[in-house]
Amino acid sequence: MTAIFHVGISGARGRMGRAVSAALDAREDVVVAARFDRGETPDLSLCDVIIDFSTADASVDLAQACAERGGPALVIGSTGLTSDQDAAVLRAAERVAIVRSGNFSLGVNILIGLVEHAAQRLDAADWDIEVLEAHHRKKVDAPSGTALMLGEAAASGRGEDLADIRRAPWDGITGPRETGGIGFASLRAGGIIGEHTVLFASEDETLTLSHSAIDRSLFAKGAVAAAAWVRSRKPGLYDMQDVLGFRQA
């Protein structure tokens, strides 16, 4: 018999919160123990794991609250965290298991691996890299968390730190492109769920690797899979590469 586990939803009234709620309701091994949004105080003792798609500030507060009591485990899908907020989540992960990802899609996580391998094999002296993304008009951060993940994968393939080779969006009289940089471009319009493209371009040819989200439920299903995985893990900061078994713990 499959064990029942209890899940809380942070950011429950948002787009992703509603999608997560629908994905959880479709499973027989889950009880939704709490639904809450920023400013509301849940009873953490009711939950084995919390799925959080709220805001950067709210995610950090929740991670600290979970760490202070030694649980529950946490799945964080919020993006736009500052370096200080990243550090706060990392400290919380010393006491509680956390899966954090800018994207919970299986397809995107495979794309990340392909981008890293392509960047490793295509000489930076000959091949430029641009990361393009498009999302709905209500998204508040840019580039998206997924775009940054793809940029980090490309930088890693080249043995670089993204912070050192990331270039600002093209605007105005910029001069010629510098060799070896990774550029980003963002679009915000309508109800676009998520479009991500990594363009590798040389003087002679281009290679395009891309992913399109058709239904927001794909992210929710990935987050629920992450919740089922992380609830029994020891404290630490994990990502979808761990959940999907692409990286051995």
Side-chain angles (χ1 to χ4, degrees):
M1 181 177 178
T2 303
I4 300 294
F5 64 104
H6 296 75
V7 180
I9 306 173
S10 172
R13 288 190 287 274
R15 288 177 180 230
M16 277 305 306
R18 295 195 301 271
V20 168
S21 182
L24 290 170
D25 288 342
R27 292 182 59 135
E28 297 181 353
D29 59 343
V30 172
V31 171
V32 178
R35 291 181 172 90
F36 59 97
D37 280 278
R38 187 174 185 179
E40 299 174 346
T41 304
D43 184 350
L44 298 179
S45 67
L46 297 176
C47 306
D48 298 310
V49 59
I50 294 176
I51 300 176
D52 169 55
F53 284 94
S54 54
T55 65
D57 288 339
S59 294
V60 171
D61 290 343
L62 179 59
Q64 291 172 335
C66 290
E68 286 172 4
R69 66 180 305 278
L74 187 59
V75 174
I76 297 177
S78 303
T79 59
L81 275 69
T82 66
S83 57
D84 287 342
Q85 290 171 327
D86 284 334
V89 171
L90 184 59
R91 288 194 297 272
E94 295 174 0
R95 301 188 62 186
V96 67
I98 299 175
V99 171
R100 184 183 166 204
S101 179
N103 195 302
F104 287 91
S105 158
L106 172 61
V108 162
N109 281 278
I110 291 175
L111 176 61
I112 288 169
L114 294 174
V115 167
E116 182 171 355
H117 284 295
Q120 187 177 22
R121 288 162 174 77
L122 299 176
D123 194 329
D126 299 320
W127 292 81
D128 300 321
I129 299 177
E130 290 283 325
V131 182
L132 303 88
E133 56 97 354
H135 283 84
H136 54 86
R137 61 164 65 102
K138 294 183 179 180
K139 187 168 178 60
V140 299
D141 59 307
S144 68
T146 302
L148 292 173
M149 290 166 64
L150 292 166
E152 289 167 356
S156 177
R158 289 185 167 175
E160 300 278 2
D161 188 323
L162 178 61
D164 296 331
I165 58 175
R166 178 178 171 180
R167 299 293 177 257
W170 305 106
D171 184 36
I173 307 301
T174 62
R177 182 189 175 96
E178 297 177 9
T179 299
I182 296 178
F184 289 83
S186 298
L187 298 176
R188 296 290 177 266
I192 299 171
I193 294 175
E195 305 280 341
H196 293 89
T197 297
V198 181
L199 174 68
F200 295 84
S202 73
E203 293 283 355
D204 307 306
E205 57 184 325
T206 61
L207 170 65
T208 302
L209 301 174
S210 64
H211 177 272
S212 298
I214 298 171
D215 190 308
R216 189 168 279 105
S217 66
L218 74 92
F219 305 120
K221 291 174 182 176
V224 171
W229 182 88
V230 76
R231 64 192 172 97
S232 60
R233 302 292 162 172
K234 63 183 181 180
L237 186 60
Y238 305 95
D239 61 23
M240 283 301 286
Q241 301 292 307
D242 298 299
V243 174
L244 296 171
F246 294 154
R247 182 186 301 120
Q248 296 300 316

